[in-house]
Amino acid sequence: MLAFIAKRSLAVIPVMAVVSIVVFLLLRLSPGDPALVIAGENADAASVERIRMALGLDQPLVSQFLIWIRNMLGGDLGTSIFSKLPVTELIAQRIEPTASLALATMLFAILVAVPLGTVAGATAGSWLDRTLMAVSVIGFSVPAFVLGYCMIYVFSLRLGWAPVQGFTSISEGILPFLRSIALPTVTLGLAYLVLIARITRASVLEMMGEDFIRTARAKGVSERLVITRHALRNAAIPILTVIGIGVALLISGVVVIETVFNIPGIGRLVVDAILKRDYPVIQGVILIFSAVYVLVNLAIDIGYALLDPRVRY
Amino acid sequence: MTMLSQPVAGDEPRNPLFDLAFQAFRNPSVLIGGTIVAAIIIMALAAPLLGTVDPVRIDPGMRLKPPSDLAWMGTDLFGRDVYSRIVYGARSSLLVGLSVAAVAISLGVLVGLVAGYFRAMDIIVMRVMDGLMAIPTFLLAIALVSLTRASIGTVIVALTIPEIPRVVRLVRSVVLTVREESYVEAAISVGTPAPLILVRHILPSTIAPLLVLGTYICAQAILIEAGLSFLGTGLPPEIPSWGNMISEGRTFFQVTPRLVFLPSLFLALTVLGINLLGDGLRDTLDPRIAKRM
């Protein structure tokens, strides 16, 4: 078991190495002079030179990379070109709205999708199953920002149930906080929910045909227990896997949804940085988001090795 | 399905591809999705014939007009005809979606075949692909677009790169299975050169799953392009695209929500059609495909 955990954890290193090389090269391989791009078209030669020095662009590529990696490992993601604040500080300032939104969305999606998918899988072919499958295709096809505007239109502008935009910190009271993240959570959660529900349905459906289900039924276990204790439990691995993979969806969604609902989080930070070409911020956020994705999936892999004695790699 | 595969007395043996196509069109998802996609493609191709006016003509006297005889979907912030912009917007979305799918599949097949067949390359290539897949698609795409001046070409390149690993993984998994088949071993034993084996004996097995993956990539690319344009980092604003229209419309969302909703409707419908087509193809072509994706 320990050997597996060690091996799986070590596998993170090459992945993160590739991520950091890609993120590093993003800036360095862009056509044209990045210093010039950052300085803008009307900048004079001195300020272009200053930016070039500040970014270490006057040094060879490999040593630039090594410096960057060394700083990064030491927890220094660089400094924003515009606000002059360290990238780590900028991210820390913005983490609350993004983390609240992401956690609320995961909770919402899993709590709705797993029961829904289980029932659909156990009653495959029923009207509920068919409706769910039909709705799920639509869920994949409506872009999150479109859904967000529909939500705002109906629930904020027409019904007045939720604030149109903005974020209220949890420190200002739990109710205003929940009101402010309710619409973004549902909006962001839909695609994620659909993804989890479809996999849950497929894996429960597959389990329902297994011998141990027939055995359980034959010995008189109630249908509810057959489904929850036997089918769902054995279907857990693909469901957990897709929850991990779906985190990528969540991260991409956060970037757009924070703009739609005007939430001052990390997604908003990176969009603003991209519009202003603030490269250190862009690099820092991509790196952090990718690390979160890789670590969540590591935790899930280790999680099911711990929970499921059949899993041995 | 069993009915179709049973030979009917007196029937000539039919082309299996023809059979497959026939079967696919009996699937309701393929039928509905295919019809939607075909309609959008016709709309895009026939844009000038559909009673449209110049989609980029600005008319300050016609700003934010509600639907009327002159402009039946109304006009936008700059007095441009919304209907014409939506019809021409289909061109941008389809161009991006189809190009990304085509380029990602071509490159992905090349890398995937090599990685799957030549063991030495496999480890390195797959580590790179794992790394690329760890970067959220949308972020990688906006970062890539932000590096260069936005144009349709750079958007296509930026959307293609994050999709390549998915193709590579799929192709590689097919190669790994097929290369153990006896007909491939037979080809190796008679000294067929590797490139020929790859193209003649292995490539054909990847076609069906790639067709399905291609539809998903196309749908994904259209969605991401719209998302990028919505954030103001996608196609240049002068190109009529649904994402750009939604982005411009959101300033006046509370007053004229139709400027957001109309292009959104077409966007969602197009993606829905492509997804339905993909789901249907997946179910009819080969049930095992679902496991690989």
Side-chain angles (χ1 to χ4, degrees):
Chain A
M1 178 55 63
L2 276 177
F4 164 72
I5 295 176
K7 210 175 128 198
R8 181 61 186 79
S9 308
L10 285 176
V12 166
I13 295 172
V15 172
M16 283 315 291
V18 172
V19 170
S20 38
I21 292 171
V22 171
V23 170
F24 173 78
L25 289 179
L26 267 183
L27 172 58
R28 300 310 195 269
L29 288 190
S30 62
D33 182 351
L36 203 64
V37 173
I38 291 163
E41 278 159 27
N42 305 320
D44 54 295
S47 52
V48 173
E49 203 49 43
R50 200 167 55 245
I51 289 171
R52 183 170 295 135
M53 296 282 278
L55 290 173
L57 291 173
D58 46 351
Q59 294 178 33
L61 202 64
V62 175
S63 50
Q64 283 182 37
F65 181 66
L66 291 177
I67 295 170
W68 187 67
I69 286 286
R70 199 185 56 212
N71 290 344
M72 202 177 69
L73 291 176
D76 176 9
L77 291 176
T79 311
S80 159
I81 296 166
F82 290 91
S83 66
K84 311 285 181 222
L85 289 169
V87 174
T88 41
E89 196 181 316
L90 284 171
I91 291 176
Q93 283 172 359
R94 307 270 197 131
I95 202 145
E96 193 209 326
T98 303
S100 324
L101 183 57
L103 287 177
T105 304
M106 282 189 94
L107 217 62
F108 162 74
I110 294 170
L111 288 182
V112 176
V114 174
L116 218 56
T118 308
V119 175
T123 60
S126 66
W127 65 267
L128 181 96
D129 178 42
R130 283 159 195 267
T131 316
L132 185 78
M133 292 310 284
V135 172
S136 76
V137 187
I138 299 174
F140 271 136
S141 309
V142 181
F145 55 94
V146 169
L147 187 68
Y149 279 112
C150 294
M151 293 281 199
I152 294 178
Y153 186 75
V154 175
F155 294 105
S156 307
L157 297 179
R158 289 282 141 139
L159 298 171
W161 290 354
V164 175
Q165 283 177 323
F167 175 76
T168 313
S169 167
I170 197 162
S171 57
E172 289 172 48
I174 188 98
L175 217 63
F177 164 76
L178 288 178
R179 257 172 65 99
S180 77
I181 67 162
L183 289 190
T185 298
V186 176
T187 308
L188 183 57
L190 188 77
Y192 196 35
L193 190 159
V194 162
L195 186 71
I196 301 172
R198 280 174 80 125
I199 297 290
T200 307
R201 175 191 177 274
S203 12
V204 168
L205 182 59
E206 203 181 319
M207 288 303 148
M208 294 307 279
E210 294 284 332
D211 287 345
F212 61 83
I213 296 290
R214 204 182 47 209
T215 311
R217 277 183 180 146
K219 70 178 186 185
V221 177
S222 72
E223 192 61 20
R224 172 192 288 265
L225 281 184
V226 168
I227 293 168
T228 51
R229 193 164 299 162
H230 296 274
L232 186 58
R233 267 179 82 164
N234 282 292
I237 288 185
I239 300 174
L240 279 173
T241 310
V242 84
I243 289 175
I245 293 170
V247 169
L249 206 72
L250 208 62
I251 292 172
S252 299
V254 156
V255 177
V256 178
I257 288 304
E258 288 187 355
T259 303
V260 173
F261 288 93
N262 204 7
I263 296 168
I266 300 175
R268 207 43 248 178
L269 177 73
V270 73
V271 171
D272 288 342
I274 281 165
L275 293 173
K276 287 190 290 194
R277 295 174 190 259
D278 194 343
Y279 288 104
V281 178
I282 303 175
Q283 288 180 325
V285 172
I286 294 182
L287 213 57
I288 295 277
F289 273 153
S290 307
V292 167
Y293 175 70
V294 169
L295 292 178
V296 167
N297 282 289
L298 171 69
I300 284 177
D301 276 6
I302 291 178
Y304 47 64
L306 290 176
L307 293 176
D308 190 335
R310 289 170 306 182
V311 178
R312 285 289 177 275
Y313 293 83
Chain B
M1 221 160 90
T2 43
M3 234 175 63
L4 274 172
S5 53
Q6 262 161 19
V8 182
D11 218 11
E12 289 292 307
R14 280 186 300 181
N15 184 342
L17 267 177
F18 179 80
D19 253 11
L20 214 56
F22 188 68
Q23 241 175 64
F25 275 104
R26 288 170 57 113
N27 177 297
S29 293
V30 174
L31 211 58
I32 300 172
T35 310
I36 297 175
V37 174
I40 301 280
I41 291 176
I42 291 171
M43 181 172 107
L45 291 176
L49 309 173
L50 295 173
T52 52
V53 297
D54 183 0
V56 294
R57 196 193 61 206
I58 291 173
D59 184 351
M62 283 286 285
R63 295 179 67 230
L64 293 174
K65 286 277 187 283
S68 65
D69 290 345
L70 280 171
W72 74 276
M73 286 188 186
T75 60
D76 73 359
L77 191 56
F78 302 99
R80 295 173 298 197
D81 180 41
V82 172
Y83 166 67
S84 306
R85 288 179 71 71
I86 283 181
V87 172
Y88 277 93
R91 290 186 166 189
S92 320
S93 286
L94 288 178
L95 179 65
V96 170
L98 294 175
S99 319
V100 169
V103 180
I105 285 183
S106 320
L107 293 176
V109 164
L110 213 65
V111 180
L113 283 179
V114 170
Y117 196 78
F118 302 102
R119 295 259 156 95
M121 304 286 292
D122 193 38
I123 293 179
I124 303 168
V125 171
M126 291 324 285
R127 287 296 84 71
V128 174
M129 293 302 139
D130 285 348
L132 270 179
M133 282 185 97
I135 305 175
T137 317
F138 196 74
L139 275 181
L140 185 56
I142 35 179
L144 285 167
V145 174
S146 72
L147 292 174
T148 50
R149 202 173 303 120
S151 74
I152 236 172
T154 52
V155 168
I156 290 171
V157 172
L159 296 189
T160 302
I161 293 173
E163 300 293 346
I164 291 175
R166 290 168 69 186
V167 184
V168 173
R169 282 172 86 132
L170 175 73
V171 172
R172 173 179 172 269
S173 80
V174 173
V175 176
L176 288 181
T177 337
V178 175
R179 61 170 289 155
E180 306 300 331
E181 299 277 347
S182 43
Y183 63 86
V184 174
E185 279 174 5
I188 296 173
S189 68
V190 296
T192 316
L196 208 60
I197 292 179
L198 284 174
V199 172
R200 193 177 293 166
H201 301 292
I202 297 183
L203 193 60
S205 306
T206 64
I207 291 174
L210 281 177
L211 202 61
V212 178
L213 184 62
T215 61
Y216 295 147
I217 292 179
C218 180
Q220 172 91 350
I222 290 176
L223 280 181
I224 297 183
E225 178 273 309
L228 291 179
S229 301
F230 167 76
L231 293 177
T233 56
L235 295 175
E238 63 272 14
I239 296 180
S241 90
W242 296 332
N244 278 341
M245 294 179 74
I246 299 169
S247 174
E248 290 153 6
R250 78 190 154 116
T251 336
F252 284 86
F253 177 64
Q254 305 207 11
V255 194
T256 51
R258 74 189 149 78
L259 292 182
V260 169
F261 286 143
L262 286 172
S264 300
L265 184 71
F266 279 85
L267 175 63
L269 195 67
T270 306
V271 177
L272 178 70
I274 300 173
N275 277 336
L276 280 174
L277 189 62
D279 282 357
L281 287 177
R282 183 196 60 201
D283 295 342
T284 43
L285 290 182
D286 183 355
R288 286 170 305 176
I289 292 176
K291 297 223 172 215
R292 293 193 196 274
M293 292 192 188

